[in-house]
Amino acid sequence: MTTRRRCLTLGAAALAGGALAGCDERAEQDAAARLQRRLAPPGSVAGADRLRALVHAATLAPSSHNTQCWRFSLGADTIRIAADFSRRCPAVDPDDHHLFVSLGCATENLMQAALAHGLQAEPQVAADGGITVALAPTPPRRTAAYDAIAARQSTRAAFDGRPLAPALWQRLEDAAAAEGVTLQIVSDRAGLERVLDAVATGHRAQLSDAAFVDELVRWLRFDAAEAARSGDGLFAGCSGQPSLPPWLARRIVRRFLRADSEVARSTEQLRSSAGVVILASDAAGGPQRWVGVGRAFQRLALEATAAGLRLSLLNPPLEVARLRAPFASAFGLAPLRPDLIVRIGYGPRLPESLRRPLEAVIA
Ligand SMILES: Cc1cc2nc3c(=O)[nH]c(=O)nc-3n(C[C@H](O)[C@H](O)[C@H](O)COP(=O)(O)O)c2cc1C
């Protein structure tokens, strides 16, 4: 697993039997995930079905540990997005930063889908991070970002090392621009090595923390059947890793969750990337601000996907509170809080992650 999100790098040779047994299952899981990404064609639905189509698009957003920590309530011309605190992750995300960033990602997808379906969406974010999206009729506009909603994924594979043209970096920066959110691009080799050092320190801190490991293991899905049953969590197959019978995997997983293998994985990921974008915001932060960070990140992710790029997050140095300020200083971002580390490049598509059914997230 490339840990959590990350998934098992469990001694592949020893587990080859499990991997082979998992092949068909994996293909089925991938087919199911692709089916889940079929959005209702704009113009094909009206009334409550149209609002459900918007929620469907919202649920394809990324969420930390794939917790899908959101609840939607439909009004006549509003959709409310609220945190589902039963899905919070107190070990990796004690202040719910990632949880509210995830809500921001979902909001951005919903807004792009609304436009494609002929609705102008105006989100109001309350101080507690609750979001009310007002919807008003507008001429339908199908954007490249809308078309990227289903294609976007967190791709934890190695990329091919190709650099990005300066104009493309600029395009990503423009897409993510938001008041109160600072972006820093690191694309020089020395800078990427410094990111890697910080990521390695983050992995070491996290994997020596029993609470972090226990929580991670709870969100891991070890084979396609387990992933399909829950429709959430981190499935090894999504990182190109072998499936294992869950009864066996749960017994042995802790032995294989080693900082060294995670660092090796991140080294390959970062050295093959074109660069990294760091998103940062006011250290005073809070839910409202973090929703804004999530929206900016999701616009970046959709723009990158539309441009044929792949991306994934590598946040360990930001998830260990004591490592955040040194990271900010090292990249000239102090006194801001660095929120997200996004690596970007050209790479392969991996199997898609699953989602829970709409009934599970609509109140
Ligand atoms: C706030 C936030 C933090 C995340 N942090 C990481 C991370 O550090 N490493 C990683 O591999 N994935 C990270 N992810 C990606 C999620 O694991 C991923 O979105 C989820 O598994 C669903 O998969 P998808 O993005 O391919 O749809 C993060 C996602 C969010 C929204």
Side-chain angles (χ1 to χ4, degrees), residues 2-7 37 59-68 70 92-93 97-103 105 152-156 206 233-235 238-239 269 294 297-298 311-317 319 339-341 351-355:
T2 112
T3 63
R4 84 161 153 185
R5 34 263 175 121
R6 314 168 188 179
C7 303
R37 278 167 178 67
T59 63
L60 297 183
S63 59
S64 175
H65 280 4
N66 196 19
T67 54
Q68 301 160 39
W70 38 59
V92 71
D93 189 27
H97 167 277
H98 282 6
L99 183 148
F100 286 106
V101 168
S102 306
L103 295 195
C105 296
R152 182 215 59 84
Q153 60 169 215
S154 299
T155 309
R156 300 177 185 96
Q206 288 185 320
L234 301 159
F235 172 45
C238 295
S239 292
Q269 289 174 332
F297 165 56
Q298 187 63 1
L311 67 151
S312 70
L313 288 153
L314 264 180
N315 290 321
E319 293 168 345
D339 292 287
L340 298 170
I341 302 172
E352 316 280 359
S353 60
L354 286 170
R355 294 297 186 271

Side-chain angles (χ1 to χ4, degrees), residues 103-153:
L103 295 195
C105 296
T107 304
E108 198 60 38
N109 271 14
L110 193 145
M111 292 175 68
Q112 291 297 335
L115 202 53
H117 282 271
L119 292 168
Q120 183 71 44
E122 285 295 339
Q124 289 283 343
V125 188
D128 70 358
I131 302 150
T132 304
V133 186
L135 300 162
T138 194
R141 191 151 63 85
R142 187 172 177 152
T143 60
Y146 171 77
D147 286 326
I149 288 174
R152 182 215 59 84
Q153 60 169 215

Side-chain angles (χ1 to χ4, degrees), residues 21 32 48 73 79 92 95 119 128 153 162 191-192 205 210 217 220 223 225 228 253 258 292 295 299 308 335-336 344:
S73 342
I79 296 179
V92 71
D95 61 0
L119 292 168
D128 70 358
Q153 60 169 215
R162 253 188 297 161
L192 287 175
V217 171
L220 290 174
D223 71 2
V253 62
R258 295 253 177 267
R295 288 189 54 199
R299 285 198 302 276
L336 298 177
I344 296 183

